[in-house]
């Protein structure tokens, strides 16, 4: 199911300290929008990876929201309302430092390539744990990769063939 989000397009050098600062600034602007328009945050902050342009990572920093009405502005001060992808995804649970997320992304890409699974949109990360309250080694991040809907049956076949159960 797609999730309604308030998000701000942002960019940063793809280095942990620069990304952390850029995301922090972007989330602050998103939260200002949420509170200014009477919305409620409804989940963990997320980051939707868009592309790399030169030495800059382009991403949308978002926060799930509820309380959107017809009177809620769809954009203000760069912050926009939108939805996450609503089709089938590969979801991976990463536990540990944000510094190791790129290694997890490489493993996901290798897994998708090995099975011939085609992506169907931008990947995103949902930062479940609060880094101010949870040890770096215990941080939980959910990583989502949208996949083509027609591949869902193939995934179920591979999963079942490898000892999994179908639901």
């Amino acid at each position: 199911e797609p999730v309604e989000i308030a998000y701000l397009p942002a960019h940063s050098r793809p280095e942990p300290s620069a990304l952390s600062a850029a995301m922090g600034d972007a989330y602050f602007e998103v939260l200002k929008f949420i509170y200014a328009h009477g919305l409620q945050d409804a989940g963990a902050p997320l980051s939707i990876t868009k592309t790399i342009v030169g030495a800059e990572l382009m991403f949308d920093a978002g926060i799930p929201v509820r309380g959107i009405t017809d009177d809620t502005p769809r954009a203000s001060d760069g912050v926009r309302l939108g939805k996450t992808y609503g089709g089938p995804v590969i979801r991976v649970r990463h536990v540990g430092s944000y510094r190791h997320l790129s290694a997890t992304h490489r493993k996901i890409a290798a897994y998708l390539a090995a099975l011939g699974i085609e992506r169907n949109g931008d990947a995103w990360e949902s930062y479940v744990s609060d880094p101010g309250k949870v040890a770096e080694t215990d941080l939980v991040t959910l990583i989502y990769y949208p996949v083509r809907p027609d591949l869902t049956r193939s995934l179920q076949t591979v999963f079942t063939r490898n000892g999994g159960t179908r639901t």
Side-chain angles (χ1 to χ4, degrees), residues 6 27-41 63 65-69 71-79 81:
Y27 292 135
F28 180 75
E29 293 302 318
V30 171
L31 284 170
K32 282 188 348 188
F33 174 90
I34 289 170
Y35 299 135
H37 299 291
L39 304 174
Q40 299 87 41
D41 57 287
I63 297 176
V65 294
R66 65 176 159 256
I68 297 172
T69 67
D71 295 330
T72 306
R74 298 305 184 244
S76 176
D77 297 323
V79 177
L81 293 176

Side-chain angles (χ1 to χ4, degrees), residues 10-29:
H11 60 90
S12 170
R13 290 183 323 278
E15 302 162 2
S17 61
L19 269 171
S20 178
M23 285 184 177
D25 292 345
Y27 292 135
F28 180 75
E29 293 302 318

